[in-house]
Amino acid sequence: LDPLLELALASIPTDKQGCSPVAVKATAGLRLLGKAKSDAILKQVRKHLEEDYPFPVVDGDGISIMDGSDEGVYAWITTNYLLGNIGTSKKLDTAAVFDLGGGSTQIVFEPTDGDSLLEGEHKYNIEFGGRKFTLYQYSHLGYGLMQARNKVNAEVLKSEMKTAGKSKFVPLKESQIKNAVADVTIENPCVPPGVTAEDVIVELENGDKYAVTFVPPKKTSSDSLAGQCKFLTDLILNKDLDCESDSCSFNGVYQPSFKDQFPSTADMYVFSYFYDRLQPIGMPDSFTLKEMNDIMESVCAGSHLWDKYFTQEAHIKELENEPLWCLDLNFMTSLLHNGYDIPLKRELKTAKTIGGNELGWCLGASLPLLDKSNWTCRVTKEL
């Protein structure tokens, strides 16, 4: 936090610092640590801010783990505010947002008929700029990119354990994890030909962790590999779980149909890890889900074909530096198409910034704070 706070000190006039509130919001990564560890970290952050900086810390949940529903809705506010869809007297179609973090992924959109939404945690009513919005939102904890990676790799590891026997595999001790070196090599269809993923830490459901080196299968064509990897990334979505409503996404979670409840001309924005995996290998800012699937297949075809599909050396360098890029793109495609039921022909947009402002939840979380006019000012310290 300190580099950000030092920038704030340099940017805000000294006599205004005591009236410039600061809030810190943690996301799913901290939530996954458990209550004891996360509470200790948050307590220390608050202490650091209150004792070492002049900015008044927002009371109550000013230093807190953000609820997953708020995370997605704040990202929706950020995107639509920057696009000019909200905060105006005009009634405009709003963009749907898909935020892919490391530990969780969020989906938020405004259904065409908000009154038809089933009641539950997924229904979110807000008022912004004099307009009321009824949103569908859901935060899928455990389906951020890093968690999804682990789920897929765990399926591969468990399959190998059944075949080779568990005695071949020894779980790591806590002290070994940081510098673990794999003593076992496993074929993984999500690792393309010519690529090796070394010393990957894989955690199973019981908490046991293993260091594994993943290599591509030796006797399978690249086309077959793509299908096998897609099978795994579809599998972890648990799409076959019972749906207790007329429409579900994955894991049996209720979600209104995009076909029936979202304008075909409205924007769909994917960002965070979506952007981080697509932009560095040459994907344009606007593309169809089919084009995203095509670039995934190009990455997964194997490193010997990358110079055929990717014309810039920088794109190939990116792929060489991340051996699980094929897995990541497979999961992203599965999530959007199989999980959320977005048609392959649907246009998507991605960006890191709009008008010089970064996308994500932070601006959306800040706007309500700026709406509060009465702040108790702290006496500014001499720095």
Side-chain angles (χ1 to χ4, degrees), residues 323-338:
L324 294 179
W325 210 296
C326 168
L327 191 163
D328 293 348
L329 292 178
N330 257 290
F331 170 69
M332 287 159 48
T333 305
S334 287
L335 178 65
L336 295 172
H337 182 53
N338 192 43

Side-chain angles (χ1 to χ4, degrees), residues 90-109:
K90 296 179 181 179
K91 186 169 175 32
L92 303 172
D93 286 340
T94 55
V97 300
F98 306 85
D99 190 357
L100 182 60
S104 64
T105 187
Q106 287 77 37
I107 171 177
V108 188
F109 67 97

